[in-house]
Amino acid sequence: MTSDTHSPRSANPPSTTASWSLGGLLVLAGSAFVTILTEALPAGLLPAMSADLGVSEARAGLLITVYALAAALTAIPMTAWTLILPRRTLLLALLLGFAATNVVTAMSTGFALTLAARVVSGVFAGLLWAMVPAYAARLAPQRSGKAIATALAGMTVGLSLGIPAGTALGGLIGWRATFGLLTVLAVALAATALWHLPQLPGETANRGSGLMRTVRTPGIPAINIASLLMVLGFYVLYTYIAPFVEQAGPAVGTGAVLFLFGLGSMGGVWIAGATADRRLRAATIGLLALAAVCLAVFGAVGHSTVAVVLGAVFWGVTHGGIPTLTQTAGVKAAPFDADTANSLWVTGWNIGMAGGSLLGGAVLDGAGTRALPWTASALLAASVLTAVLARRDGFPSPGRIHSRDCDRVQQGSAVAAAPKG
């Protein structure tokens, strides 16, 4: 463990590249795409997987649950243990790890072995989600927000297009062959990374005091609280969107709602890329507020087809943009510990997924589907309030950004110059 008082850090964040590395960013986007497909594809293939593995669909759902839990529990320690590794080397190892676990998933005939492969995949996922935004920011330090949005676009494309396509493909060629193709994609990305992704060094033992210093960094608590509240609210309704749509009775089905949501998410990624570097505070608060309004609209007029269609699109916009904006905020708040800051975000995200689903289930059982969007909207309103109050560090107003950054450079120089004890 490193000391809080004798952990020098340079006046600038760890080594960066000056140019816009589009090829490298697209590799990172592809890695996010593979990761989200590995995570969520079993949801669309669950009936076939459960039948083939000889378990009930309820038990087969553990293939998704254990993946998320593994990511949540291991993102922080795994990030800390691998900080010293060169970034491209680590990414290659993770992609090949996904290839290996997906091969096991595709070939396994026993549920226990398949479940074990999913646990290992979840560990890889937690680490990858923590490192990708920081890696992207270092590839384009002057446009870090746009770089992070480009890299994380792979996640949005995977959710909105990849999962439906993978589900349809599984129906044509079988779920095992689908996971086999996912393996091939991971290997192809690893090979591409060798050509297009620059190698960046990891952080040395001088990287600072690690997790606790990052947790105490001004702005980091507010960013993670706002993000956690958002994810809780999102999954309260998203997990149970099918029964909500059925009970509300608009002239559109759940599939149409999710398709419109996916289209909106693509627009949200574009908004995040266009605003993250110069309008981070306004964009984050604006999208959080829009999400709260969309959810309230679902609660008030969920029976209206027009309201549900428009609400689904704009709710998708918020979900496509907010993750990129909050992760960009974390990178900007803790530029010396970006990977660790993102590991906190990943942990909070996965906790929010599980917690939102559990809370939504309790609300559904206790108050029915009409209460779901109102509960979600209240959580989003709390997230908006958190972001609004974090005007100094977490989501700083434009006038405070330059002063904050100058203070951090001076602090970094002072610590680096301090005598070692």
Side-chain angles (χ1 to χ4, degrees), residues 230-308:
M230 183 278 293
V231 180
L232 281 169
F234 174 79
Y235 277 96
V236 161
L237 181 58
Y238 188 82
T239 305
Y240 301 99
I241 191 66
F244 170 76
V245 171
E246 289 175 5
Q247 291 296 319
V252 290
T254 303
V257 170
L258 293 177
F259 175 73
L260 293 168
F261 178 91
L263 290 180
S265 296
M266 300 296 293
V269 171
W270 181 86
I271 290 173
T275 60
D277 291 313
R278 297 188 179 184
R279 298 287 186 272
L280 179 61
R281 176 178 174 80
T284 303
I285 294 174
L287 289 183
L288 286 171
L290 178 59
V293 169
C294 289
L295 291 164
V297 167
F298 286 146
V301 287
H303 60 279
S304 167
T305 300
V306 173
V308 169

Side-chain angles (χ1 to χ4, degrees), residues 220-236:
I220 289 297
I223 291 165
N224 283 280
I225 290 171
S227 180
L228 176 60
L229 289 168
M230 183 278 293
V231 180
L232 281 169
F234 174 79
Y235 277 96
V236 161

Side-chain angles (χ1 to χ4, degrees), residues 150-170:
T150 303
L152 293 182
M155 176 180 69
T156 303
V157 172
L159 285 171
S160 59
L161 300 178
I163 299 301
T167 301
L169 188 63

Side-chain angles (χ1 to χ4, degrees), residues 7-396:
S7 300
R9 46 182 173 158
S10 62
N12 296 304
S15 53
T16 58
T17 59
S19 61
W20 178 263
S21 178
L22 180 59
L25 291 171
L26 291 178
V27 170
L28 293 179
S31 302
F33 182 83
V34 166
T35 306
I36 198 67
L37 255 66
T38 300
E39 175 179 340
L41 194 56
L45 302 175
L46 207 60
M49 293 182 73
S50 64
D52 208 3
L53 294 171
V55 297
S56 67
E57 289 189 19
R59 191 179 181 196
L62 289 173
L63 296 173
I64 301 169
T65 304
V66 298
Y67 185 105
L69 287 176
L73 294 174
T74 64
I76 292 174
M78 288 296 293
T79 297
W81 293 337
T82 58
L83 275 176
I84 62 172
L85 296 178
R87 299 293 89 183
R88 186 178 67 188
T89 301
L90 179 58
L91 184 69
L92 290 174
L94 292 174
L95 288 172
L96 294 176
F98 279 125
T101 55
N102 284 331
V103 162
V104 172
T105 301
M107 299 181 66
S108 171
T109 57
F111 182 70
L113 178 59
T114 306
L115 200 66
R118 296 290 295 171
V119 170
V120 177
S121 289
V123 174
F124 294 154
L127 181 52
L128 186 136
W129 290 129
M131 74 170 291
V132 161
Y135 203 160
R138 292 174 67 184
L139 292 178
Q142 302 306 316
R143 291 180 285 174
S144 58
K146 185 176 181 180
I148 292 172
T150 303
L152 293 182
M155 176 180 69
T156 303
V157 172
L159 285 171
S160 59
L161 300 178
I163 299 301
T167 301
L169 188 63
L172 293 174
I173 65 175
W175 68 269
R176 294 185 184 277
T178 303
F179 272 96
L181 289 177
L182 199 53
T183 297
V184 173
L185 179 57
V187 173
L189 273 170
T192 305
L194 287 172
W195 291 96
H196 294 287
L197 194 63
Q199 177 75 287
L200 297 180
E203 298 184 40
T204 67
N206 290 336
R207 59 184 165 84
S209 56
L211 176 63
M212 292 313 299
R213 188 186 74 192
T214 305
V215 171
R216 291 193 298 265
T217 299
I220 289 297
I223 291 165
N224 283 280
I225 290 171
S227 180
L228 176 60
L229 289 168
M230 183 278 293
V231 180
L232 281 169
F234 174 79
Y235 277 96
V236 161
L237 181 58
Y238 188 82
T239 305
Y240 301 99
I241 191 66
F244 170 76
V245 171
E246 289 175 5
Q247 291 296 319
V252 290
T254 303
V257 170
L258 293 177
F259 175 73
L260 293 168
F261 178 91
L263 290 180
S265 296
M266 300 296 293
V269 171
W270 181 86
I271 290 173
T275 60
D277 291 313
R278 297 188 179 184
R279 298 287 186 272
L280 179 61
R281 176 178 174 80
T284 303
I285 294 174
L287 289 183
L288 286 171
L290 178 59
V293 169
C294 289
L295 291 164
V297 167
F298 286 146
V301 287
H303 60 279
S304 167
T305 300
V306 173
V308 169
V309 166
L310 293 177
V313 172
F314 286 110
W315 189 31
V317 168
T318 67
H319 186 257
I322 292 171
T324 294
L325 294 171
T326 51
Q327 287 188 281
T328 300
V331 170
K332 291 180 180 293
F336 303 101
D337 299 293
D339 290 84
T340 305
N342 278 309
S343 71
L344 290 169
W345 186 93
V346 171
T347 298
W349 181 277
N350 284 279
I351 290 173
M353 285 175 58
S357 298
L358 290 173
L359 178 58
V363 170
L364 183 63
D365 289 339
T369 57
R370 291 179 64 93
L372 290 171
W374 291 115
T375 304
S377 183
L379 288 164
L380 263 296
S383 180
V384 172
L385 180 61
T386 303
V388 168
L389 294 176
R391 64 175 61 89
R392 177 176 178 81
D393 292 296
F395 302 98

